[in-house]
Amino acid sequence: MKRITVKEAITATDLIGSTITVNGWVRTFRSNRFIAINDGSTIKNIQAVINFENQEESVLKSINTGAAISVTGTLVESQGGGQNVEIQVSSFEILGEANPEEYPLQPKKHSLEFLREKAHLRIRTNTFGAVFRVRHAMSYAIHNYFHTRGFYQMHTPIITGSDAEGAGEMFRVTTNDQNNVPKNEEGEVDTTKDFFGKETNLTVSGQLEAELGALGLGKVYTFGPTFRAENSNTTRHLAEFWMIEPEVAFNDIIDNMNLAEDFLKSLAQYALDNCMDDLEFLRDRELQEEKSKPQIERNELNLIERLQFITANDFERITYTEAIRILENSKPYKKKKFQYMPEWGSDLQTEHERFLVEKHFKKPVIINNYPASFKAFYMRANEDGKTVAAMDILFPGIGEIIGGSQREERLDVLKEKCKDFNIPEEHIWWYLETRKFGTCKHSGFGLGFERLVMFVTGMTNIRDVIPFPRTPNNAEF
């Protein structure tokens, strides 16, 4: 007997009248007759109608929420409301029982905090099924976007001896016995006795290696795990997350902004074209959640409207200096409504970014030419001596979603920046050498994958868009 998915069963009208088999998990069982089954292929359930007149009571008791079941029967047009088709069951089998007294995901509303404690099971819920199907769709859309535009994927190292961001918040990698760490004559840890013969860490970015790839292959991108040992418990931070980092030889900052805008519009359109069932569910969930919030905290646009907002608008492009001027002339600034008062030379906060996008321009915004004082060493210095050719893209609801820059291709300038950032040249000698042999302008950007999934799904906590979040004091599962 042909086994098909629930998604196939409810969308293939040509199968009506056929005998099919569907496997899945019981969502509800009512009136000792109607079983709602879901197998994860779609947000929608399929109803299986069973005649239990001749069944033993023990069989009825085993059909509980969470149980795995296989049903075989005829796919017919539904006689009831809520579904177009249903299965008139001729035979069924309980594949795996779920004791209702122990199974934690009963058919009722559970808080996201509770479900984070049940990360091994939460994927079975409607909310997280939708989130992780969308996450997969976005992953596919990213690879497809770059592949069709002639990019080559690079697998950059997870273990590295360099700090791409210069922030120092890295996880150390060692095989040393922590109860008997080797020391040198100065009493310091002797890293020459470690596995790699030097200090190594988990990477915070694949960008530096991606630049090497771009300077040989022309257009490359990374899509891999990155790690930050930042002791932060906010809704926007993870210790382990995924980054997408394209790098393109011969691109300047304008080319970089063009690529990033087209990239984000393409991803938003892909979600609208391919994930509508899940997006509608997540939109309705968000609207329900917002009913309990004060009006001022509610989104002006619903989830689907926010995605359409991205595809329908050309992104506004302004300099950092222009952004500060706009903020300083705004009502929130004059009435001291900003929690952090903006001034030239300080980094923009999320509240500033959201004001520019949602209140002032009412469209996505790209800010460029930031002060060099709070940007990374590899960003190209502008002729004014104060700013660098950096850019951030700001979205409604979340603020910054992409950060990037034109990279510093001049060897003498890059060496000076290494001194300013206290980066020993011997740590990145290979990076500097690319500026000696056939150097050229090149640009790239980074997109935090979880930040993207938050935007597309409307989830407000980054821990809810990755299957098994890693945060301070939390490495369960």
Side-chain angles (χ1 to χ4, degrees), residues 48 97 316 351:
E97 295 186 7
E316 188 72 28
E351 60 179 336

Side-chain angles (χ1 to χ4, degrees), residues 236 299 306 350 354 357-358 395-399 455:
R236 296 161 61 89
N299 288 296
R306 293 198 297 275
T350 301
R354 291 189 62 179
V357 174
E358 299 168 28
F395 267 18
I398 63 171
F455 178 77

